[in-house]
Amino acid sequence: MKRLSLLPQQCILLMSCLLVALEAVPIDIDKTKVKGEGHVEGEKIENPDTGLYYDEYLRQVIDVLETDKHFREKLQTADIEEIKRGKLSRELDLVSHHVRTRLDELKRQEVARLRMLIKAKMDSVQDTGIDHQALLKQFEHLNHQNPDTFEPKDLDMLIKAATSDLENYDKTRHEEFKKYEMMKEHERREYLKTLDEEKRQREESKFEEMKKKHGDHPKVHHPGSKDQLKEVWEEADGLDPNEFDPKTFFKLHDVNNDGFLDEQELEALFTKELEKVYDPKNEEDDMVEMEEERLRMREHVMNEVDINKDRLVTLEEFLRATEKKEFLEPDSWETLDQQQLFTEDELKEFESHISQQEDELRKKAEDLQKQKEELQRHHDQLQAQKQELQQVVKQMEQKKLQQGNPPAGPAGELKFQPPGEHKVGDAPKHPAGDDQPLPPGHVQEPAARTDQVHP
């Protein structure tokens, strides 16, 4: 039995990953013809990041559920629709106490993490308004009303949230890529506005030259066609193109031996085609565009091959696709440089949105500058008042000195004693018989004689 890998953008694989154990389809392969080492039995395969903001929590829940034998057995007999409807979630009540305790702990940690992130987000936008709906959306994968224990509702919410998010993942990536391309064009045009006519013409010529250079590449095979797969078979697998066998090809590229070609394994098949168009050393080749091209290829193959739309390609689906006319005689494949990614109207709308955002940021910057200046004026006023107060205290001290009054110490005590004044008990003591100097004009009386007899 083998655990299915949790892969990006795969709602079906997400559910299958919750403990499903499937035997890989047995296929006879002549190992003498295969270069490199295959997957080692028992070897742990690192799961790629799903791209979800709760990816770590999702992985940990799956790892814990996998340790429960009862849950694993129930999942093996459940189909995808039953999982989506929440039937599997009800089995959570029957898992071991140790598993439930660990799930409770994971949920408390996740709730604490989300609360910390939301507090930081609220602190950062407290002066610009808060989108409370967006903040609450971060709790859609768990029941935040019960933050202490992991219940069947939590598993149901986690499955539904991940399914929905992964289904929309590709769409979101396409939208982000389109914005990226429009921003590139916007910045290029803004830069041209800063140049004189001669420099602007040179830049335009350079731009057209780079476009032409990028478009001058070898023919790209249709993704998923026989020609494309045979090229991988020969150049990547090192096998004889005349001995191409779909079953063997499937087994070779089912990297984790789970019996499926998942989305990541499919995307790996297009590397050779992408290298014909994109080279990171070339100035004219954009690696962001290369990843968008890879995504388009994978989506196309999935649409053509994935019959039950579970975002996984089984051996049966793969073999059936190799029997189609499109597999043997495919249409030509248009790369991104051969397509119009956006219209002028879309670009104008995008630039208008950018301009609006810049105006809002400019206004916020001006408000912050005014606040800074106001705080600086308040600070200067306090400093002036402090200096005036210090000057008044200094004048009062000087006036006291002029009147013969000593300046006061910090506690109000005199800093020195006037001549002739002493505290009680501080009178100077002199040893008997000790001659002391007399004040001017004072005549010392003769000491009485002790040898005289008084009547």
Side-chain angles (χ1 to χ4, degrees):
M1 295 294 184
K2 304 175 182 68
R3 168 188 174 185
L4 287 185
S5 298
L6 178 64
L7 299 174
Q9 312 98 33
Q10 295 177 317
C11 67
I12 176 61
L13 188 53
L14 168 67
M15 272 80 75
S16 301
C17 215
L18 295 170
L19 322 177
V20 70
L22 298 173
E23 289 290 350
V25 180
I27 302 176
D28 294 331
I29 298 179
D30 185 354
K31 295 297 183 180
T32 62
K33 297 182 179 180
V34 181
K35 295 184 178 180
E37 297 181 357
H39 173 66
V40 179
E41 181 70 26
E43 179 183 358
K44 182 176 178 57
I45 300 175
E46 291 296 329
N47 293 324
D49 197 309
T50 62
L52 303 176
Y53 66 90
Y54 48 90
D55 175 78
E56 183 65 23
Y57 174 66
L58 178 63
R59 292 167 182 272
Q60 291 175 337
V61 169
I62 291 172
D63 288 340
V64 172
L65 288 173
E66 281 188 330
T67 64
D68 187 87
K69 180 180 178 180
H70 169 79
F71 201 87
R72 290 178 64 92
E73 292 175 349
K74 286 294 181 181
L75 185 57
Q76 291 177 30
T77 60
D79 60 30
I80 299 305
E81 290 304 320
E82 289 178 335
I83 295 175
K84 289 182 178 180
R85 290 197 300 268
K87 180 178 179 180
L88 188 66
S89 301
R90 293 192 289 271
E91 298 294 332
L92 189 66
D93 290 330
L94 303 178
V95 301
S96 65
H97 175 72
H98 172 74
V99 170
R100 289 297 293 270
T101 301
R102 179 59 182 144
L103 290 174
D104 292 345
E105 181 183 351
L106 290 176
K107 181 178 178 181
R108 287 192 292 269
Q109 293 174 356
E110 177 69 358
V111 170
R113 182 185 74 88
L114 291 176
R115 287 175 174 173
M116 180 183 67
L117 292 176
I118 288 176
K119 183 180 184 304
K121 186 177 292 186
M122 293 178 68
D123 291 342
S124 67
V125 297
Q126 58 183 353
D127 295 329
T128 59
I130 301 173
D131 186 351
H132 293 279
Q133 293 299 322
L135 295 179
L136 290 175
K137 191 179 186 303
Q138 298 189 55
F139 284 103
E140 289 186 351
H141 63 289
L142 51 75
N143 180 20
H144 64 278
Q145 295 178 348
N146 175 18
D148 298 318
T149 58
F150 191 98
E151 303 296 336
K153 183 177 180 180
D154 290 291
L155 181 57
D156 188 43
M157 293 179 68
L158 181 59
I159 292 174
K160 290 180 178 178
T163 301
S164 175
D165 291 341
L166 291 174
E167 286 177 344
N168 295 323
Y169 192 80
D170 287 347
K171 181 180 178 181
T172 302
R173 286 178 59 183
H174 287 311
E175 292 174 352
E176 291 300 320
F177 173 73
K178 186 175 182 178
K179 291 179 182 178
Y180 167 80
E181 288 294 316
M182 289 192 290
M183 179 60 77
K184 278 197 336 183
E185 179 62 17
H186 168 70
E187 292 178 346
R188 188 185 75 85
R189 295 185 182 187
E190 290 297 309
Y191 172 68
L192 291 176
K193 292 178 182 179
T194 65
L195 305 177
D196 57 38
E197 184 64 24
E198 182 180 354
K199 290 182 179 179
R200 184 161 52 249
Q201 289 180 358
R202 285 203 302 266
E203 285 295 324
E204 288 283 18
S205 298
K206 179 181 178 182
F207 177 72
E208 293 298 327
E209 181 181 347
M210 289 179 64
K211 281 180 60 177
K212 183 179 179 181
K213 186 177 180 182
H214 172 70
D216 185 18
H217 54 70
K219 178 184 176 181
V220 176
H221 293 303
H222 194 96
S225 66
K226 183 176 182 180
D227 290 337
Q228 190 256 314
L229 298 184
K230 282 183 65 176
E231 189 173 57
V232 176
W233 172 275
E234 179 180 6
E235 298 186 15
D237 301 332
L239 300 176
D240 188 344
N242 297 321
E243 297 180 4
F244 175 77
D245 178 63
K247 286 186 178 181
T248 304
F249 184 91
F250 183 95
K251 178 61 178 178
L252 286 174
H253 295 278
D254 176 17
V255 180
N256 58 358
N257 289 339
D258 61 6
F260 300 97
L261 289 183
D262 55 51
E263 295 184 346
Q264 188 184 41
E265 290 166 339
L266 279 178
E267 289 182 0
L269 300 179
F270 311 132
T271 300
K272 288 295 180 181
E273 300 303 315
L274 295 170
E275 288 177 350
K276 298 175 182 179
V277 185
Y278 300 94
D279 186 342
K281 299 178 182 178
N282 296 337
E283 182 184 2
E284 67 273 10
D285 296 339
D286 189 336
M287 295 301 103
V288 176
E289 293 179 359
M290 183 185 74
E291 292 308 313
E292 174 68 9
E293 191 78 72
R294 189 192 303 273
L295 174 58
R296 290 178 62 243
M297 290 180 172
R298 186 256 296 162
E299 283 185 315
H300 174 76
V301 172
M302 275 294 186
N303 290 332
E304 294 291 323
V305 181
D306 183 19
I307 299 174
N308 61 357
K309 305 304 177 185
D310 63 358
R311 303 174 76 91
L312 291 171
V313 176
T314 64
L315 175 62
E316 181 182 359
E317 291 173 329
F318 183 76
L319 294 179
R320 187 176 299 179
T322 62
E323 298 172 356
K324 295 180 180 180
K325 179 181 178 181
E326 293 80 1
F327 180 74
L328 301 174
E329 302 175 6
D331 298 329
S332 60
W333 177 258
E334 290 187 354
T335 53
L336 286 172
D337 56 281
Q338 298 172 308
Q339 299 182 11
Q340 183 179 9
L341 301 177
F342 52 85
T343 65
E344 281 295 320
D345 289 340
E346 289 176 326
L347 180 59
K348 288 180 180 179
E349 183 179 354
F350 177 77
E351 289 179 326
S352 175
H353 181 66
I354 292 294
S355 177
Q356 182 180 354
Q357 288 182 324
E358 290 176 347
D359 290 341
E360 292 176 356
L361 290 174
R362 191 179 302 108
K363 185 178 183 302
K364 290 178 182 178
E366 291 174 355
D367 292 341
L368 289 174
Q369 182 62 30
K370 290 179 181 178
Q371 293 178 17
K372 178 182 177 182
E373 293 174 355
E374 183 64 27
L375 289 173
Q376 185 62 45
R377 283 195 294 270
H378 185 61
H379 174 74
D380 294 341
Q381 291 175 358
L382 291 177
Q383 286 294 108
Q385 292 176 3
K386 179 180 178 181
Q387 293 177 359
E388 290 177 1
L389 183 59
Q390 290 175 341
Q391 186 65 25
V392 170
V393 171
K394 184 177 180 180
Q395 292 174 356
M396 292 178 64
E397 295 292 342
Q398 292 177 349
K399 188 174 181 180
K400 286 181 180 181
L401 288 175
Q402 292 173 358
Q403 293 175 353
N405 295 328
E413 73 279 3
L414 297 177
K415 292 184 179 180
F416 65 89
Q417 299 290 340
E421 295 185 12
H422 302 281
K423 295 180 181 180
V424 178
D426 290 346
K429 298 179 181 181
H430 305 288
D434 188 15
D435 294 334
Q436 299 295 328
L438 298 175
H442 182 80
V443 179
Q444 184 178 6
E445 296 182 359
R449 294 181 58 184
T450 57
D451 57 347
Q452 292 182 344
V453 177
H454 297 279

